[in-house]
Coordinates of all heavy atoms in Angstrom, one line a residue:
M1 N 0.8 -1.2 0.0 CA 0.0 0.0 0.0 C 0.9 1.2 0.1 O 1.9 1.3 0.7 CB -0.9 0.0 1.2 CG -1.9 1.1 1.3 SD -3.1 1.1 2.7 CE -3.9 -0.5 2.5
E2 N 0.4 2.2 -0.8 CA 1.2 3.5 -0.7 C 1.1 4.1 0.7 O 0.4 3.8 1.5 CB 0.5 4.5 -1.7 CG 0.6 4.1 -3.2 CD 0.1 5.1 -4.1 OE1 0.7 6.2 -4.2 OE2 -1.0 4.8 -4.7
Q3 N 2.0 5.2 0.8 CA 2.0 5.8 2.1 C 0.7 6.5 2.4 O 0.1 7.1 1.5 CB 3.2 6.9 2.1 CG 3.2 7.7 3.4 CD 4.4 8.5 3.5 OE1 5.5 8.0 3.6 NE2 4.3 9.8 3.3
V4 N 0.3 6.4 3.6 CA -1.0 7.0 4.1 C -0.6 8.3 4.8 O 0.4 8.4 5.5 CB -1.7 6.0 5.1 CG1 -2.9 6.7 5.8 CG2 -2.1 4.7 4.4
T5 N -1.5 9.3 4.6 CA -1.4 10.5 5.3 C -2.6 10.8 6.1 O -3.7 10.7 5.6 CB -1.2 11.7 4.3 OG1 -0.1 11.5 3.4 CG2 -1.1 13.1 5.0
I6 N -2.4 11.0 7.4 CA -3.5 11.1 8.3 C -3.4 12.5 8.9 O -2.5 12.9 9.6 CB -3.5 10.1 9.5 CG1 -3.4 8.7 9.0 CG2 -4.6 10.3 10.4 CD1 -3.2 7.6 10.0
Y7 N -4.4 13.3 8.7 CA -4.6 14.7 9.2 C -5.5 14.4 10.4 O -6.7 14.0 10.2 CB -5.2 15.7 8.3 CG -4.4 16.0 7.1 CD1 -4.4 15.3 6.0 CD2 -3.4 17.1 7.2 CE1 -3.6 15.7 4.8 CE2 -2.7 17.4 6.1 CZ -2.7 16.7 5.0 OH -1.9 17.0 3.9
G8 N -5.1 14.8 11.6 CA -5.9 14.7 12.8 C -5.4 15.4 14.0 O -4.6 16.3 13.9
R9 N -6.0 14.9 15.1 CA -5.6 15.5 16.5 C -5.2 14.3 17.4 O -5.9 13.3 17.3 CB -6.7 16.3 17.0 CG -7.2 17.5 16.2 CD -8.2 18.3 17.1 NE -9.3 17.5 17.6 CZ -10.4 17.2 17.1 NH1 -10.8 17.7 16.0 NH2 -11.3 16.5 17.8
S10 N -4.2 14.5 18.2 CA -3.9 13.5 19.2 C -5.0 13.2 20.2 O -5.1 12.1 20.7 CB -2.6 13.9 19.9 OG -1.5 13.9 19.0
S11 N -5.9 14.1 20.4 CA -6.9 13.9 21.4 C -8.2 13.3 20.7 O -9.1 13.0 21.5 CB -7.4 15.3 22.0 OG -7.9 16.2 20.9
C12 N -8.1 13.0 19.5 CA -9.3 12.3 18.7 C -9.1 10.8 18.7 O -8.1 10.3 18.2 CB -9.3 12.9 17.3 SG -10.4 12.0 16.2
G13 N -10.0 10.1 19.3 CA -10.0 8.6 19.4 C -10.0 8.0 18.0 O -9.3 7.0 17.7
F14 N -10.8 8.6 17.0 CA -10.8 8.0 15.7 C -9.4 8.2 15.0 O -9.0 7.4 14.2 CB -12.0 8.7 14.9 CG -13.3 8.2 15.4 CD1 -14.1 9.1 16.1 CD2 -13.8 6.9 15.1 CE1 -15.4 8.7 16.5 CE2 -15.0 6.5 15.5 CZ -15.8 7.4 16.3
C15 N -8.8 9.3 15.3 CA -7.5 9.6 14.7 C -6.5 8.6 15.2 O -5.7 8.1 14.4 CB -7.1 11.0 15.0 SG -8.2 12.3 14.4
V16 N -6.6 8.4 16.5 CA -5.5 7.4 17.1 C -5.9 6.0 16.5 O -4.9 5.2 16.3 CB -5.7 7.5 18.6 CG1 -4.9 6.3 19.3 CG2 -5.2 8.8 19.1
R17 N -7.1 5.6 16.4 CA -7.5 4.3 15.8 C -6.9 4.1 14.4 O -6.3 3.1 14.0 CB -9.0 4.1 15.7 CG -9.6 3.7 17.1 CD -11.1 3.5 17.0 NE -11.3 2.3 16.1 CZ -12.3 2.2 15.3 NH1 -13.3 3.2 15.2 NH2 -12.6 1.1 14.6
A18 N -7.0 5.2 13.6 CA -6.5 5.2 12.2 C -4.9 5.0 12.2 O -4.4 4.1 11.5 CB -6.9 6.4 11.4
R19 N -4.3 5.7 13.1 CA -2.8 5.6 13.2 C -2.5 4.2 13.8 O -1.5 3.6 13.2 CB -2.4 6.7 14.2 CG -0.9 6.9 14.2 CD -0.4 8.1 14.9 NE -0.9 8.1 16.3 CZ -0.8 9.1 17.1 NH1 -0.2 10.2 16.8 NH2 -1.2 9.0 18.4
D20 N -3.2 3.7 14.7 CA -2.9 2.3 15.3 C -3.0 1.3 14.2 O -2.3 0.3 14.2 CB -3.8 2.0 16.5 CG -3.5 2.8 17.7 OD1 -2.4 3.5 17.8 OD2 -4.3 2.8 18.7
L21 N -4.1 1.4 13.3 CA -4.3 0.5 12.2 C -3.0 0.5 11.3 O -2.6 -0.7 11.0 CB -5.5 0.8 11.4 CG -5.8 -0.1 10.2 CD1 -6.1 -1.6 10.7 CD2 -7.0 0.4 9.4
C22 N -2.5 1.6 11.0 CA -1.3 1.6 10.2 C -0.2 0.9 10.9 O 0.6 0.1 10.3 CB -0.9 3.1 9.9 SG -2.0 3.9 8.7
E23 N 0.0 1.2 12.2 CA 1.1 0.5 12.9 C 1.0 -1.0 13.0 O 1.9 -1.6 12.9 CB 1.2 1.2 14.3 CG 1.8 2.7 14.2 CD 1.9 3.4 15.5 OE1 1.5 2.8 16.5 OE2 2.2 4.6 15.5
S24 N -0.3 -1.4 13.2 CA -0.5 -2.9 13.5 C -0.4 -3.6 12.1 O 0.0 -4.8 12.1 CB -1.8 -3.1 14.0 OG -2.9 -2.8 13.2
R25 N -0.5 -2.9 10.9 CA -0.5 -3.6 9.6 C 0.8 -3.2 8.9 O 1.0 -3.6 7.8 CB -1.6 -3.2 8.8 CG -3.0 -3.5 9.3 CD -3.4 -5.0 9.2 NE -4.7 -5.4 9.0 CZ -5.6 -5.3 10.0 NH1 -5.3 -4.8 11.3 NH2 -6.8 -5.7 9.9
N26 N 1.7 -2.5 9.6 CA 3.0 -2.1 9.0 C 2.7 -1.3 7.7 O 3.4 -1.4 6.7 CB 3.9 -3.2 8.8 CG 4.4 -3.8 10.0 OD1 4.8 -3.2 11.0 ND2 4.4 -5.2 10.1
I27 N 1.7 -0.4 7.8 CA 1.4 0.5 6.6 C 2.2 1.8 6.8 O 2.1 2.4 7.9 CB -0.1 0.8 6.6 CG1 -0.9 -0.5 6.4 CG2 -0.4 1.7 5.4 CD1 -2.4 -0.4 6.5
P28 N 3.0 2.1 5.8 CA 3.7 3.4 6.0 C 2.8 4.6 6.1 O 1.8 4.7 5.3 CB 4.6 3.5 4.8 CG 3.9 2.6 3.8 CD 3.2 1.5 4.5
Y29 N 3.0 5.5 7.0 CA 2.1 6.6 7.1 C 2.8 7.8 7.7 O 3.9 7.7 8.3 CB 0.9 6.3 8.1 CG 1.3 6.2 9.6 CD1 1.0 7.3 10.4 CD2 1.8 5.1 10.1 CE1 1.3 7.3 11.7 CE2 2.2 5.0 11.5 CZ 1.9 6.1 12.2 OH 2.2 6.0 13.6
V30 N 2.2 9.0 7.4 CA 2.6 10.2 8.0 C 1.5 10.8 8.8 O 0.3 10.8 8.3 CB 2.9 11.3 6.7 CG1 3.3 12.6 7.4 CG2 4.1 10.8 6.0
W31 N 1.8 11.1 9.9 CA 0.8 11.7 10.9 C 1.0 13.2 11.0 O 2.1 13.7 11.2 CB 1.0 11.1 12.3 CG 0.3 11.8 13.4 CD1 0.8 12.6 14.3 CD2 -1.1 11.7 13.7 NE1 -0.1 13.1 15.2 CE2 -1.3 12.5 14.8 CE3 -2.1 11.1 13.1 CZ2 -2.6 12.7 15.4 CZ3 -3.4 11.3 13.6 CH2 -3.6 12.0 14.8
I32 N -0.1 13.9 10.6 CA 0.0 15.4 10.7 C -1.0 15.8 11.7 O -2.2 15.8 11.5 CB -0.3 16.0 9.3 CG1 0.7 15.5 8.3 CG2 -0.4 17.6 9.4 CD1 0.4 15.9 6.8
D33 N -0.5 16.3 12.9 CA -1.3 16.7 14.0 C -1.7 18.2 13.7 O -0.9 19.1 13.7 CB -0.5 16.6 15.3 CG -1.4 17.0 16.5 OD1 -2.2 18.0 16.5 OD2 -1.4 16.2 17.5
M34 N -3.0 18.4 13.4 CA -3.4 19.7 13.0 C -3.3 20.8 14.1 O -3.0 21.9 13.8 CB -4.9 19.7 12.4 CG -5.9 19.3 13.4 SD -7.5 19.0 12.7 CE -8.0 20.7 12.4
V35 N -3.4 20.4 15.4 CA -3.2 21.3 16.5 C -1.8 21.7 16.5 O -1.4 22.9 16.6 CB -3.7 20.7 17.8 CG1 -3.5 21.6 19.0 CG2 -5.2 20.4 17.7
E36 N -0.9 20.7 16.5 CA 0.6 21.0 16.6 C 1.0 21.9 15.5 O 1.9 22.8 15.7 CB 1.3 19.6 16.6 CG 2.8 19.8 16.8 CD 3.4 18.4 16.8 OE1 3.2 17.6 17.8 OE2 4.1 18.0 15.8
K37 N 0.5 21.7 14.3 CA 0.9 22.4 13.1 C 0.1 23.8 13.0 O 0.4 24.6 12.1 CB 0.7 21.6 11.8 CG 1.5 20.3 11.8 CD 2.9 20.6 11.5 CE 3.6 19.2 11.3 NZ 5.0 19.4 11.2
G38 N -0.9 23.9 13.9 CA -1.6 25.2 13.8 C -2.6 25.2 12.6 O -2.9 26.3 12.0
M39 N -3.1 24.0 12.1 CA -3.9 24.0 10.9 C -5.4 24.0 11.3 O -5.8 23.4 12.3 CB -3.6 22.7 10.2 CG -2.2 22.6 9.7 SD -1.9 20.9 8.9 CE -2.8 21.2 7.4
S40 N -6.1 24.7 10.5 CA -7.6 24.7 10.6 C -8.2 23.6 9.7 O -7.5 23.0 8.8 CB -8.2 26.1 10.3 OG -8.0 26.3 8.9
K41 N -9.5 23.3 9.8 CA -10.2 22.4 8.9 C -10.1 23.0 7.5 O -10.0 22.2 6.5 CB -11.6 22.2 9.3 CG -11.7 21.4 10.7 CD -13.1 21.2 11.0 CE -13.2 20.3 12.3 NZ -14.6 20.3 12.8
Q42 N -10.1 24.2 7.3 CA -10.1 24.8 6.0 C -8.7 24.6 5.4 O -8.5 24.4 4.2 CB -10.4 26.3 6.1 CG -10.5 27.0 4.6 CD -11.6 26.2 3.8 OE1 -12.7 26.1 4.2 NE2 -11.1 25.9 2.6
D43 N -7.6 24.7 6.2 CA -6.3 24.4 5.7 C -6.1 23.0 5.2 O -5.6 22.8 4.1 CB -5.2 24.6 6.9 CG -5.1 26.0 7.3 OD1 -5.2 27.0 6.5 OD2 -4.7 26.2 8.5
I44 N -6.8 22.1 5.9 CA -6.7 20.7 5.5 C -7.6 20.5 4.2 O -7.1 19.9 3.3 CB -7.3 19.7 6.6 CG1 -6.3 19.8 7.8 CG2 -7.4 18.3 6.0 CD1 -6.8 19.1 9.0
A45 N -8.8 21.1 4.2 CA -9.6 21.1 3.0 C -8.9 21.6 1.7 O -9.0 21.0 0.7 CB -10.9 21.8 3.2
D46 N -8.1 22.7 1.9 CA -7.4 23.3 0.8 C -6.4 22.3 0.2 O -6.1 22.1 -0.9 CB -6.7 24.5 1.2 CG -7.7 25.7 1.5 OD1 -8.9 25.6 1.0 OD2 -7.3 26.6 2.1
R47 N -5.7 21.5 1.2 CA -4.7 20.5 0.8 C -5.3 19.3 0.1 O -4.7 18.8 -0.7 CB -3.9 20.1 2.0 CG -3.0 21.2 2.5 CD -2.0 20.6 3.5 NE -1.1 21.6 4.0 CZ -0.1 21.4 4.7 NH1 0.3 20.2 5.0 NH2 0.6 22.4 5.1
I48 N -6.5 18.8 0.6 CA -7.0 17.5 0.1 C -8.0 17.7 -1.0 O -8.4 16.7 -1.6 CB -7.5 16.6 1.3 CG1 -8.7 17.3 2.0 CG2 -6.4 16.4 2.3 CD1 -9.4 16.4 3.0
G49 N -8.6 18.9 -1.1 CA -9.5 19.2 -2.1 C -10.9 18.7 -1.8 O -11.8 18.5 -2.7
H50 N -11.2 18.5 -0.5 CA -12.5 18.0 -0.1 C -12.9 18.9 1.2 O -12.1 19.2 2.0 CB -12.5 16.6 0.4 CG -12.5 15.7 -0.9 ND1 -13.5 15.2 -1.5 CD2 -11.3 15.1 -1.4 CE1 -13.0 14.4 -2.5 NE2 -11.7 14.3 -2.4
P51 N -14.2 19.2 1.4 CA -14.6 19.9 2.6 C -14.3 19.0 3.9 O -14.4 17.7 3.8 CB -16.1 20.1 2.5 CG -16.4 19.8 1.1 CD -15.3 18.9 0.5
V52 N -13.9 19.7 4.9 CA -13.6 18.9 6.1 C -14.5 19.4 7.3 O -14.6 20.5 7.6 CB -12.1 19.2 6.5 CG1 -11.8 18.6 7.9 CG2 -11.1 18.7 5.5
Y53 N -15.2 18.3 7.8 CA -16.1 18.6 8.9 C -15.7 17.9 10.1 O -15.9 18.3 11.3 CB -17.5 18.1 8.6 CG -18.1 18.8 7.4 CD1 -18.1 18.1 6.1 CD2 -18.4 20.2 7.3 CE1 -18.6 18.7 5.0 CE2 -18.9 20.8 6.2 CZ -19.0 20.1 5.0 OH -19.4 20.7 3.9
T54 N -15.0 16.8 10.0 CA -14.5 16.0 11.1 C -13.0 15.5 10.8 O -12.6 15.6 9.6 CB -15.3 14.7 11.3 OG1 -15.2 13.9 10.1 CG2 -16.8 15.0 11.5
V55 N -12.4 15.0 11.8 CA -11.0 14.4 11.6 C -11.2 13.0 12.1 O -12.0 12.7 13.0 CB -9.9 15.2 12.3 CG1 -9.7 16.5 11.6 CG2 -10.2 15.4 13.8
P56 N -10.3 12.0 11.7 CA -9.3 12.3 10.8 C -9.8 12.4 9.3 O -10.9 12.0 9.0 CB -8.4 11.0 10.9 CG -9.4 9.9 11.2 CD -10.4 10.7 12.0
Q57 N -8.8 13.0 8.5 CA -9.0 13.0 7.0 C -7.8 12.3 6.5 O -6.7 12.5 6.9 CB -9.0 14.4 6.6 CG -10.3 15.1 6.9 CD -11.5 14.5 6.3 OE1 -11.7 14.4 5.2 NE2 -12.5 14.2 7.2
I58 N -8.0 11.2 5.7 CA -7.0 10.2 5.3 C -6.9 10.2 3.8 O -7.9 10.1 3.1 CB -7.3 8.9 5.9 CG1 -7.4 9.0 7.5 CG2 -6.2 7.9 5.6 CD1 -8.0 7.8 8.2
L59 N -5.6 10.1 3.3 CA -5.3 9.9 1.9 C -4.4 8.7 2.0 O -3.6 8.5 2.8 CB -4.6 11.1 1.3 CG -5.4 12.4 1.3 CD1 -5.1 13.3 2.4 CD2 -5.1 13.0 -0.1
V60 N -4.5 7.9 0.8 CA -3.6 6.8 0.5 C -2.9 7.3 -0.8 O -3.6 7.4 -1.8 CB -4.2 5.5 0.3 CG1 -3.2 4.4 -0.1 CG2 -4.9 5.1 1.7
G61 N -1.6 7.6 -0.7 CA -0.9 8.2 -1.9 C -1.6 9.6 -2.0 O -1.7 10.3 -1.1
T62 N -2.1 9.8 -3.3 CA -2.8 11.0 -3.5 C -4.4 10.8 -3.6 O -5.1 11.7 -3.8 CB -2.4 11.6 -4.9 OG1 -2.6 10.6 -5.9 CG2 -0.9 12.0 -4.9
E63 N -4.8 9.5 -3.3 CA -6.2 9.3 -3.3 C -6.8 9.6 -2.0 O -6.5 9.1 -0.9 CB -6.4 7.7 -3.6 CG -7.8 7.3 -3.6 CD -8.0 5.8 -3.8 OE1 -7.0 5.1 -4.0 OE2 -9.1 5.3 -3.6
Y64 N -7.9 10.4 -2.0 CA -8.7 10.7 -0.8 C -9.5 9.6 -0.4 O -10.3 9.0 -1.2 CB -9.5 11.9 -1.1 CG -10.5 12.3 0.1 CD1 -9.9 12.9 1.2 CD2 -11.8 12.0 0.0 CE1 -10.8 13.2 2.3 CE2 -12.7 12.4 1.1 CZ -12.1 12.9 2.2 OH -12.9 13.3 3.3
V65 N -9.4 9.0 0.8 CA -10.1 7.9 1.3 C -11.3 8.4 2.2 O -12.4 7.9 2.1 CB -9.2 6.9 2.1 CG1 -10.0 5.9 2.8 CG2 -8.1 6.4 1.2
G66 N -11.0 9.3 3.1 CA -12.1 9.8 4.0 C -11.8 9.8 5.4 O -10.6 10.1 5.7
G67 N -12.7 9.4 6.2 CA -12.4 9.3 7.7 C -12.0 8.0 8.1 O -11.7 7.1 7.3
C68 N -12.1 7.8 9.5 CA -11.6 6.5 10.1 C -12.3 5.3 9.5 O -11.7 4.3 9.1 CB -11.7 6.6 11.6 SG -11.1 5.2 12.5
D69 N -13.7 5.3 9.6 CA -14.5 4.2 9.1 C -14.2 3.9 7.6 O -14.1 2.7 7.3 CB -15.9 4.4 9.3 CG -16.4 4.4 10.8 OD1 -15.6 3.9 11.6 OD2 -17.5 4.9 11.1
D70 N -14.0 4.9 6.9 CA -13.7 4.8 5.5 C -12.4 4.1 5.3 O -12.1 3.3 4.4 CB -13.7 6.1 4.7 CG -15.1 6.8 4.8 OD1 -16.1 6.2 4.6 OD2 -15.0 8.0 5.1
F71 N -11.4 4.5 6.1 CA -10.1 4.0 6.0 C -10.0 2.4 6.4 O -9.4 1.6 5.7 CB -9.1 4.8 6.8 CG -7.7 4.3 6.8 CD1 -7.0 4.2 5.6 CD2 -7.0 4.0 8.0 CE1 -5.7 3.7 5.5 CE2 -5.7 3.6 7.9 CZ -5.0 3.4 6.7
F72 N -10.7 2.2 7.5 CA -10.8 0.7 7.8 C -11.4 -0.1 6.8 O -10.9 -1.2 6.5 CB -11.6 0.6 9.1 CG -10.8 0.7 10.4 CD1 -10.2 1.9 10.8 CD2 -10.6 -0.5 11.1 CE1 -9.6 1.9 12.0 CE2 -9.8 -0.4 12.3 CZ -9.2 0.8 12.7
A73 N -12.5 0.4 6.1 CA -13.1 -0.4 5.0 C -12.1 -0.5 3.8 O -12.0 -1.5 3.2 CB -14.4 0.4 4.5
Y74 N -11.4 0.6 3.5 CA -10.4 0.6 2.5 C -9.3 -0.5 2.7 O -9.0 -1.2 1.8 CB -9.7 2.0 2.3 CG -8.7 2.1 1.3 CD1 -9.1 2.6 0.0 CD2 -7.4 1.8 1.5 CE1 -8.1 2.7 -1.0 CE2 -6.4 2.0 0.5 CZ -6.8 2.4 -0.7 OH -5.9 2.5 -1.8
V75 N -8.8 -0.5 3.9 CA -7.8 -1.5 4.2 C -8.3 -2.9 4.1 O -7.7 -3.8 3.5 CB -7.2 -1.3 5.7 CG1 -6.3 -2.4 6.2 CG2 -6.5 0.1 5.7
R76 N -9.5 -3.2 4.5 CA -10.2 -4.5 4.5 C -10.3 -4.9 3.0 O -10.0 -6.0 2.6 CB -11.6 -4.5 5.1 CG -11.5 -4.6 6.6 CD -12.9 -5.0 7.3 NE -13.9 -3.9 6.9 CZ -14.1 -2.9 7.7 NH1 -13.4 -2.7 8.8 NH2 -15.0 -2.1 7.4
R77 N -10.7 -4.0 2.2 CA -10.9 -4.3 0.7 C -9.5 -4.6 0.1 O -9.3 -5.6 -0.6 CB -11.4 -3.0 0.0 CG -12.9 -3.0 0.1 CD -13.5 -2.0 -0.9 NE -12.9 -0.7 -0.9 CZ -13.3 0.3 -0.1 NH1 -14.2 0.2 0.8 NH2 -12.7 1.5 -0.2
Q78 N -8.5 -3.8 0.5 CA -7.1 -4.0 0.0 C -6.6 -5.4 0.4 O -6.0 -6.2 -0.4 CB -6.2 -3.0 0.4 CG -6.4 -1.6 -0.1 CD -6.2 -1.6 -1.6 OE1 -5.3 -2.0 -2.2 NE2 -7.2 -1.0 -2.3
E79 N -6.8 -5.8 1.6 CA -6.4 -7.1 2.2 C -7.2 -8.2 1.5 O -6.6 -9.3 1.2 CB -6.6 -7.2 3.8 CG -5.7 -6.3 4.4 CD -5.9 -6.2 5.9 OE1 -7.0 -6.6 6.4 OE2 -4.9 -5.7 6.6
A80 N -8.4 -8.0 1.2 CA -9.2 -9.1 0.5 C -8.7 -9.3 -0.9 O -8.6 -10.4 -1.4 CB -10.7 -8.7 0.5
E81 N -8.4 -8.2 -1.6 CA -7.9 -8.3 -3.0 C -6.5 -8.9 -3.0 O -6.3 -9.8 -3.9 CB -7.9 -6.9 -3.6 CG -9.1 -6.2 -3.9 CD -9.0 -4.9 -4.4 OE1 -7.9 -4.4 -4.8 OE2 -10.0 -4.2 -4.4
T82 N -5.7 -8.7 -2.0 CA -4.4 -9.3 -2.0 C -4.5 -10.8 -1.6 O -3.7 -11.6 -2.2 CB -3.5 -8.5 -0.9 OG1 -3.5 -7.2 -1.1 CG2 -2.1 -9.1 -0.8
A83 N -5.4 -11.1 -0.8 CA -5.6 -12.6 -0.4 C -6.2 -13.4 -1.5 O -6.0 -14.6 -1.6 CB -6.5 -12.6 0.8
S84 N -6.9 -12.8 -2.5 CA -7.4 -13.5 -3.6 C -6.4 -14.1 -4.6 O -5.4 -13.6 -4.9 CB -8.4 -12.6 -4.4 OG -9.3 -12.1 -3.5

């Protein structure tokens, strides 16, 4: 899998779950803490090209995946395709 980029906050449980999924599956990822970087939701929206209402916001390579649930579903699909 290409490198994953996770925009989120350390205080967000869904953000931590997405990061933990990458670590448990050895998926290369970059964690961008929006609070630490002083980023607003609009800053993230400008970078990913999609409106941001919640975090995390996740990309795989340059492909926008969505939030935590979307990312878990994406990983499951990728694993199913690889297993076939």
Side-chain angles (χ1 to χ4, degrees):
M1 185 179 299
E2 292 184 69
Q3 179 170 287
V4 173
T5 303
I6 304 170
Y7 292 92
R9 298 185 317 263
S10 294
S11 61
C12 165
F14 291 106
C15 301
V16 172
R17 284 184 60 215
R19 191 170 59 184
D20 288 348
L21 179 64
C22 289
E23 290 177 4
S24 70
R25 300 286 207 288
N26 294 317
I27 299 169
Y29 74 98
V30 173
W31 167 254
I32 301 174
D33 188 314
M34 62 185 287
V35 174
E36 186 179 285
K37 301 283 186 189
M39 297 176 77
S40 69
K41 289 179 181 176
Q42 187 59 51
D43 293 330
I44 296 169
D46 292 344
R47 287 190 183 193
I48 65 174
H50 291 272
V52 173
Y53 303 106
T54 62
V55 290
Q57 292 296 305
I58 303 170
L59 294 99
V60 176
T62 58
E63 178 186 354
Y64 175 73
V65 173
C68 185
D69 292 340
D70 301 314
F71 181 55
F72 269 72
Y74 180 92
V75 170
R76 281 192 300 271
R77 282 192 307 274
Q78 293 296 312
E79 289 174 346
E81 288 175 14
T82 304
S84 304

